[in-house]
Amino acid sequence: MANETKKSSTPLLDELEKGKWPSFVKEIKKMADKNPRAKDLLGQLELSYTDKVTHWKHGGLVGVRGYGGGVIGRYSDSPDKFPNVAHFHTMRINQPSGWFYTSKALREICDVWEQHGSGLTNMHGSTGDLVLLGTSTDNLEPIFTKLTSKGWDLGGSGSVLRTPSCCAGPARCEFACYDTLKLTYDLTQEFQDLLHRPQFPYKWKFKMSGCPNDCVASVARADMSIIGIWKDDIQVDQQAVREYAKNGVNIQSEICDLCPAKCMSWDGNDLKIVNKWCNKCMHCINALPKALRPGKERGAAILIGAKAPILQGAQMSSVLVPFMKMEPPYKELKDLVEKIWDFWGEYGKNRERIGELIQRVGMGQFLEALELDPKPQMVANPRTNPFIFYEEYFEEEGEEK
Amino acid sequence: MESVQAEQRRTDIGPPQYEQFLHPVIKKNYGKWKYHEIVKPGVLVHVAENGDKLYTVRMGSPRLINVDTIRMICDLADKYCDGYLRFTSRHNVEFLLSDLSKVDPLIDAIEANGYPVGGTGKSITNIVHTQGWVHCHTPATDASGIVKAVMDELYDYFKTMTLPAKLRIALACCLNMCGAVHCSDIAILGVHRRPPKILPNLNKLCEIPTTVAACPTGAIAPVVVNGVQTVEVNEEKCMFCGNCYTMCPAMPLANSLNDGVSIWVGGKVSNARHAPMFSKLAIPYLPNNPPRWPEVVNAVKNIVEVYAKDAKKYERLGEWIERIGWPRFFDMTGIEFTKYHIDDYRFAATTFNTSTHFTL
């Protein structure tokens, strides 16, 4: 029967070609017509949709010569059925700061990848890398050589400095309190060796956000979150506030009432801000960008220790340095980072993130090791627990021990 | 294979310097932007102190895209944007241009290619997600498939800005959370529910002491079976984190009958109004039902719709729940509250209610 010969080999995945949102299945299928790796990926994925389990085997160490990261080894558990994805390794390519590209640069990557890989990508991976999805071991070196000749390098994987990433920053945002692109590029270049060769107890992520809106989710995802912040007064253009009011914004209910620090008042003409109460949440600035801007004395708060749940539970980063100027050559920041890495290298257990190490040894001990003063900005509240590890006590004069 | 020996092998060069990729209007106004506005869904304008304007047109993408699609994006960037574009932290493409008259033709061209424009302001933008069955060795579910099915259903929220506030959805296909979903308005999280199996060749594949030490609850113990060293699992202590499998390939816990999806709500990362919040458990388990996961799609849609109807302007999902209280959240969404919702791990007591602040 004619119908049967036409029967699709991927009936489950075909269902995901329907609907309005762009379809990843279409993306794979278009490549499958001309690329055997993409074709076998499609076949193996259909098998996963049938079996409801993955068909990728556990791990596998592969890489390019001299590097210990940047390539994720992946092997099919059904290489007899899908020989073209028997190896299907991912290459992480270090994205440019802020994910800005030109079409010329992207085309160069596409040409290399079409020749040597599946032709499939992730734009981008969760940590920020440009991800080339699926090639065989013998192609790794040729791809690496060709990409580096065009100015690209691999990103991080494993127990290394993971590829730093940042928001659009001053390139396209008026809220940026420091140059996130420049700092990201600077740190990435400065610590190249640590990015490519595993020298840490576990992964380390830097994320640079230009303001407390934290568009790269640094507080949730980075071992060190560098979040732009200002010290002085919010800049106000009263005429522009009045314009917003005239155009229908209810300044009282939408701005003043939602201010978490209750530092604003509106008399129908002027928006008054008690800046010493402001906790820099960004709500008023987000809502009235034409009228309000962060202050002029700008820098960043440094927070430490975010991670996903594995293993002791998820943590967000917490304040380590409430305010630091963030200008090249970033010496104060780099000195701090190197001290932290020394401490982590010395005391961290295998696969222990910095946030877990701090939990284990105590923030107080950690601060002493870094020679940082305790500050009230570091805590949501002081301890409620009275079991204090007092370190000193008085002795009677001439007391015998 | 062609020879690449002749080409020089370079290492440790790092990423290209970003300035070469910046639109001329960006270079001119770097750090000198004054304000921005959302012109309409999917279109931003950034205005510089000198009055220069930069338009951004945001395009939704499935994240997994092929080189021809990237070239199509490049063609559009060449035609309308002098070749300049960027990607967002949520996998969207942003076309950057200074000529307003080209904005609408660009939008038409993007949509003619089958990709949506939107995802700005009070919308649901792209779902940050992980690899799933496409490319991961530990997933409890697929990533791209659920994202596609959910975004098909929520498509209109991407194209409009009708929600009380922005709503950020993220998906991670296991508890490793490569997608770090734990601070999202709605998190879709793959879960295993059956303790790991012990393969007979464990002693050949794994170091037994590191395998035992990998378990955060001490559920794994070394044993000798028929003269062969291996391990045993106290199943009552297993919380399905999968860390043993990460350390020892002979302890697989992927299971087609039991793996599935949990739903978490009310997280955020921005400091606007409320401090950043973790997502909290809404639904402990929904089945893996490929290819379109209707149970998951309906659960997410239900939460979005109840929130959209009841929350006040600017209130993120977590802020809304904090105001109305969890009893009303479960009431209004019709989601069943179970013992699984009550934490029993390390930080459990910090999540208990020690007040009479609740609704009945």
Side-chain angles (χ1 to χ4, degrees), chain A residues 21 27 49 90 103 115, chain B residues 2 68 78 115 135 142 148:
Chain A
W21 187 253
E27 296 287 331
Y49 269 63
T90 285
S103 55
Q115 189 187 351
Chain B
E2 100 201 76
D68 288 339
D78 286 341
Y115 296 83
H135 204 254
D142 189 35
K148 163 72 175 149

Side-chain angles (χ1 to χ4, degrees), chain A residues 3-64:
Chain A
N3 260 353
E4 279 191 15
T5 55
K6 274 190 197 161
K7 205 169 150 189
S8 165
S9 59
T10 55
L12 293 172
L13 291 175
D14 294 351
E15 290 298 313
L16 290 169
E17 291 187 88
K18 300 172 184 169
K20 289 181 183 169
W21 187 253
S23 165
F24 73 103
V25 172
K26 280 186 188 164
E27 296 287 331
I28 303 175
K29 277 196 173 179
K30 275 184 213 158
M31 271 297 112
D33 292 339
K34 54 185 178 183
N35 185 308
R37 291 192 180 92
K39 181 170 175 289
D40 276 2
L41 175 68
L42 194 69
Q44 181 173 312
L45 189 58
E46 178 74 14
L47 186 62
S48 280
Y49 269 63
T50 310
D51 296 350
K52 301 201 254 186
V53 286
T54 189
H55 283 285
W56 298 108
K57 281 204 290 194
H58 190 287
L61 281 176
V62 285
V64 300

Side-chain angles (χ1 to χ4, degrees), chain A residues 12 15-16 18-22 24 27 30-31 34 41 45 48-49 51-54 56-59 65 67 74 88 90 94-103 105-107 110-111 114-115 119-126 133 139 141 144 146 148 151-153 168 170-174 179 181-182 185 188-189 192 196-197 212-215 219-221 254 258 260 281 283 286-287 289-290 293 307-312 314-316 351, chain B residues 1-2 4 7-18 20-22 26 30-31 33-37 46 49 54 56 60-71 74-75 78 83-87 89 91 94 96 115-116 126 129 131 133-137 139 142 144-145 148 151-152 155 158 175-180 182-183 214 216 241 243 245-247 249 256 269-273 276-278 288 290-293 313-314 345-346:
Chain A
L12 293 172
E15 290 298 313
L16 290 169
K18 300 172 184 169
K20 289 181 183 169
W21 187 253
F24 73 103
E27 296 287 331
K30 275 184 213 158
M31 271 297 112
K34 54 185 178 183
L41 175 68
L45 189 58
S48 280
Y49 269 63
D51 296 350
K52 301 201 254 186
V53 286
T54 189
W56 298 108
K57 281 204 290 194
H58 190 287
R65 197 150 41 85
Y67 279 16
R74 202 56 88 219
F88 198 68
T90 285
N94 195 144
Q95 83 286 2
S97 284
W99 297 287
F100 285 92
Y101 293 94
T102 56
S103 55
L106 284 175
R107 285 180 205 280
C110 288
D111 291 346
E114 180 162 50
Q115 189 187 351
L120 300 171
T121 73
N122 287 145
M123 302 294 284
H124 293 76
S126 289
L133 204 59
N139 275 292
E141 274 296 325
F144 180 70
K146 287 184 179 181
T148 50
W152 300 93
D153 201 345
R172 203 210 48 195
C173 185
E174 67 274 22
D179 191 338
L181 287 81
K182 182 172 259 179
Y185 183 71
T188 310
Q189 291 294 344
Q192 274 291 293
H196 298 304
R197 295 167 196 90
N213 284 326
D214 199 2
C215 286
V219 80
R221 315 182 59 165
E254 294 180 29
L258 297 182
C281 87
H283 171 72
N286 290 339
K290 276 180 166 172
R293 308 174 75 182
K307 53 180 285 297
I310 304 296
L311 200 54
Q312 303 293 334
Q315 293 178 27
M316 284 190 237
R351 294 183 75 236
Chain B
M1 177 168 300
E2 100 201 76
V4 289
E7 292 177 50
Q8 192 196 354
R9 189 178 192 277
R10 299 199 289 168
T11 68
D12 297 81
I13 60 172
Q17 217 282 354
Y18 53 91
Q20 64 191 291
F21 300 135
L22 301 179
I26 289 181
Y30 195 90
W33 297 106
K34 191 169 178 210
Y35 68 90
H36 78 278
E37 287 181 297
H46 284 78
E49 282 162 9
L54 180 80
T56 298
S61 146
R63 182 176 94 121
L64 196 171
I65 54 179
N66 67 45
V67 289
D68 288 339
T69 297
I70 297 175
R71 288 178 181 129
C74 289
D75 288 343
D78 286 341
Y84 294 97
L85 71 159
R86 73 178 288 267
F87 290 78
S89 60
H91 319 313
E94 289 187 337
L96 305 168
Y115 296 83
N126 215 336
H129 61 282
Q131 299 289 16
W133 295 333
V134 171
H135 204 254
C136 183
H137 64 162
D142 189 35
S144 314
K148 163 72 175 149
M151 285 309 287
D152 277 344
Y155 186 82
F158 181 85
L175 272 55
N176 281 316
M177 280 195 198
C178 298
H182 55 286
C183 298
C241 70
N243 200 48
Y245 180 64
T246 297
M247 299 309 285
S256 58
V269 292
S270 128
N271 285 275
R273 300 168 307 283
M277 289 191 272
F278 284 118
N288 266 338
R292 295 198 66 100
W293 283 267
K313 189 172 178 184
Y314 285 118
Y345 193 44
R346 287 169 49 104

Side-chain angles (χ1 to χ4, degrees), chain A residues 21 23 27 40 56 65 71 83 108 148 198 216 230 236 249 254 257 304 309 315 326 333 335 353 380 391 395:
Chain A
W21 187 253
S23 165
E27 296 287 331
D40 276 2
W56 298 108
R65 197 150 41 85
V71 182
E108 288 174 352
T148 50
V216 287
W230 67 96
V236 188
V249 176
E254 294 180 29
D257 293 352
I304 186 131
Q315 293 178 27
M326 209 46 66
L333 174 67
D335 286 349
R353 297 279 287 268
E391 290 173 344
E395 292 172 27

Side-chain angles (χ1 to χ4, degrees), chain B residues 247-262:
Chain B
M247 299 309 285
C248 171
M251 296 186 72
L253 71 170
N255 183 283
S256 58
L257 281 180
N258 290 287
D259 289 349
V261 168
S262 56

Side-chain angles (χ1 to χ4, degrees), chain B residues 78-341:
Chain B
D78 286 341
K79 186 163 175 195
Y80 297 96
C81 313
D82 301 315
Y84 294 97
L85 71 159
R86 73 178 288 267
F87 290 78
T88 71
S89 60
R90 306 191 76 87
H91 319 313
N92 295 308
V93 183
E94 289 187 337
F95 294 92
L96 305 168
L97 61 166
S98 50
D99 184 349
L100 175 62
S101 72
K102 289 184 178 171
V103 167
D104 283 333
L106 170 61
I107 294 172
D108 291 344
I110 293 168
E111 298 199 327
N113 277 289
Y115 296 83
V117 170
T120 52
K122 292 167 178 164
S123 67
I124 294 178
T125 189
N126 215 336
I127 299 181
V128 167
H129 61 282
T130 55
Q131 299 289 16
W133 295 333
V134 171
H135 204 254
C136 183
H137 64 162
T138 65
T141 188
D142 189 35
S144 314
I146 299 180
V147 166
K148 163 72 175 149
V150 170
M151 285 309 287
D152 277 344
E153 194 65 37
L154 300 179
Y155 186 82
D156 289 343
Y157 290 107
F158 181 85
K159 301 269 295 177
T160 57
M161 304 194 294
T162 55
L163 287 168
K166 61 180 167 186
L167 195 148
R168 296 289 177 260
I169 307 178
L171 182 149
C173 47
C174 82
L175 272 55
N176 281 316
M177 280 195 198
C178 298
V181 300
H182 55 286
C183 298
S184 306
D185 292 287
I186 299 179
I188 304 168
L189 177 65
V191 288
H192 299 293
R193 296 190 311 147
R194 187 170 170 170
K197 290 184 177 152
I198 314 289
L199 301 184
N201 57 349
L202 185 138
N203 63 329
K204 296 205 177 74
L205 290 173
C206 311
E207 244 183 59
I208 285 173
T210 46
T211 306
V212 170
C215 181
T217 66
I220 302 175
V223 286
V224 176
V225 177
N226 300 328
V228 179
Q229 286 198 316
T230 182
V231 299
E232 66 180 6
V233 176
N234 178 344
E235 296 200 347
E236 284 181 7
K237 283 190 179 174
C238 181
M239 56 179 189
F240 314 98
C241 70
N243 200 48
C244 53
Y245 180 64
T246 297
M247 299 309 285
C248 171
M251 296 186 72
L253 71 170
N255 183 283
S256 58
L257 281 180
N258 290 287
D259 289 349
V261 168
S262 56
I263 307 283
W264 305 70
V265 296
K268 72 196 275 281
V269 292
S270 128
N271 285 275
R273 300 168 307 283
H274 196 292
M277 289 191 272
F278 284 118
S279 311
K280 289 104 184 167
L281 182 66
I283 304 175
Y285 173 75
L286 293 168
N288 266 338
N289 195 356
R292 295 198 66 100
W293 283 267
E295 296 85 353
V296 176
V297 171
N298 289 336
V300 171
K301 192 182 179 195
N302 174 41
I303 294 166
V304 170
E305 286 180 347
V306 173
Y307 157 75
K309 215 168 145 188
D310 197 61
K312 295 181 181 177
K313 189 172 178 184
Y314 285 118
E315 222 167 29
R316 293 282 292 267
L317 199 137
E319 294 171 291
W320 166 65
I321 297 173
E322 205 162 89
R323 177 170 60 80
I324 65 168
W326 287 97
R328 278 188 54 70
F329 169 80
F330 284 98
D331 252 8
M332 290 171 79
T333 55
I335 296 169
E336 186 192 3
F337 187 82
T338 71
K339 78 168 184 178
Y340 292 134
H341 290 88

Side-chain angles (χ1 to χ4, degrees), chain A residues 325-387:
Chain A
K325 280 275 179 199
M326 209 46 66
E327 279 155 14
Y330 311 107
K331 186 172 183 312
E332 190 183 357
L333 174 67
K334 286 174 188 171
D335 286 349
L336 175 66
V337 166
E338 299 212 15
K339 269 190 198 169
I340 294 171
W341 286 345
D342 281 347
F343 183 84
W344 187 36
E346 186 160 357
Y347 298 105
K349 296 195 278 193
N350 185 34
R351 294 183 75 236
E352 186 174 46
R353 297 279 287 268
I354 191 70
E356 287 176 337
L357 173 60
I358 294 170
Q359 288 286 316
R360 184 161 64 81
V361 302
M363 182 59 95
Q365 295 291 328
F366 183 64
L367 293 177
E368 273 189 348
L370 303 181
E371 297 170 297
L372 285 178
D373 292 331
K375 297 226 166 83
Q377 287 90 346
M378 293 172 178
V379 292
N381 50 265
R383 72 164 72 216
T384 57
N385 141 43
F387 303 124

